[in-house]
Amino acid sequence: GVIRARVTAPIASRVMAPIVEVPVRAGDRVRRGAPLVVLDAREMRAHKDRAAAAEVAAQQSALAAEADVAAAEAGLRLARATHQRVADLAARKSATPQELDQALAALQAAEAQLRAAGSRRAAASAAHEAARAAAVAADTGVSYTVLNAPFDAVVAERSADPGMMAVPGTPLLTLEDPASFRLEVRIDESK
């Protein structure tokens, strides 16, 4: 028979990147969380920086949209007050129908500007949330460039060296848990 570790874990990359460092060799004992393989993270860090900049830009757009809404609300208040004054004057025959029409048109324009500003605010808020999610995703991508030991183990096999390309799903190392083993025996069914 063959004695094998009960828990075996092939360690593979989730991203394609050149291998920069493999600080372990076959037979080494590693602790949970210890770095096993370090990948080139320059591209991932550039994505992270770009996502962070996009988040800042989206946040500024959201602030500008809030200011647009505040300005549109102020414009609407003024248009309502002006319309009310002109309507009161028109009721006393102190304003012309044209002045009343102009005040009504200004009121309707101010209402439309407020609706447009509200739409821009909603779009800016959604863009900010999307940029925040992209920043989180980029940060997660950077974390994939260091492969750590999932448990205390022994490195059973190493098939990665610096300079090689890590391909997602291709095992770079194999770890075995030295705490528990099993015996695998082949038995002929006829006996």
Side-chain angles (χ1 to χ4, degrees), residues 14-190:
R14 293 183 69 163
V15 296
M16 182 179 287
I19 297 171
V20 175
E21 182 182 358
V22 184
V24 296
R25 300 205 175 283
D28 287 354
R29 289 188 176 274
V30 294
R31 304 286 299 171
R32 177 186 180 129
L36 301 174
V37 178
V38 179
L39 305 177
D40 186 348
R42 291 177 296 178
E43 184 178 354
M44 297 292 183
R45 285 194 190 105
H47 290 306
K48 180 181 175 181
D49 293 345
R50 184 176 62 217
E55 183 178 6
V56 169
Q59 183 178 21
Q60 292 303 312
S61 293
L63 292 174
E66 285 295 331
D68 287 347
V69 168
E73 287 171 343
L76 180 58
R77 282 192 299 274
L78 177 61
R80 282 182 179 148
T82 302
H83 178 262
Q84 187 61 48
R85 284 188 204 110
V86 173
D88 291 345
L89 289 172
R92 287 183 263 147
K93 303 290 187 207
S94 294
T96 65
Q98 180 180 355
E99 289 172 325
L100 182 59
D101 290 343
Q102 287 175 337
L104 181 60
L107 177 60
Q108 290 171 341
E111 289 170 342
Q113 287 176 346
L114 180 59
R115 285 191 303 274
S119 294
R120 284 193 302 276
R121 175 175 56 188
S125 177
H128 184 227
E129 288 303 314
R132 185 176 304 156
V136 169
D139 196 38
T140 301
V142 170
S143 73
Y144 294 153
T145 60
V146 177
L147 288 82
N148 297 315
F151 51 85
D152 292 349
V154 173
V155 178
E157 184 180 340
R158 174 181 158 166
S159 55
D161 288 307
M164 293 175 59
M165 182 65 73
V167 178
T170 302
L172 303 173
L173 300 170
T174 302
L175 301 182
E176 292 182 348
D177 182 359
S180 62
F181 293 93
R182 66 178 180 223
L183 176 62
E184 294 180 0
V185 180
R186 289 186 181 202
I187 300 175
D188 189 5
E189 289 182 26
S190 64

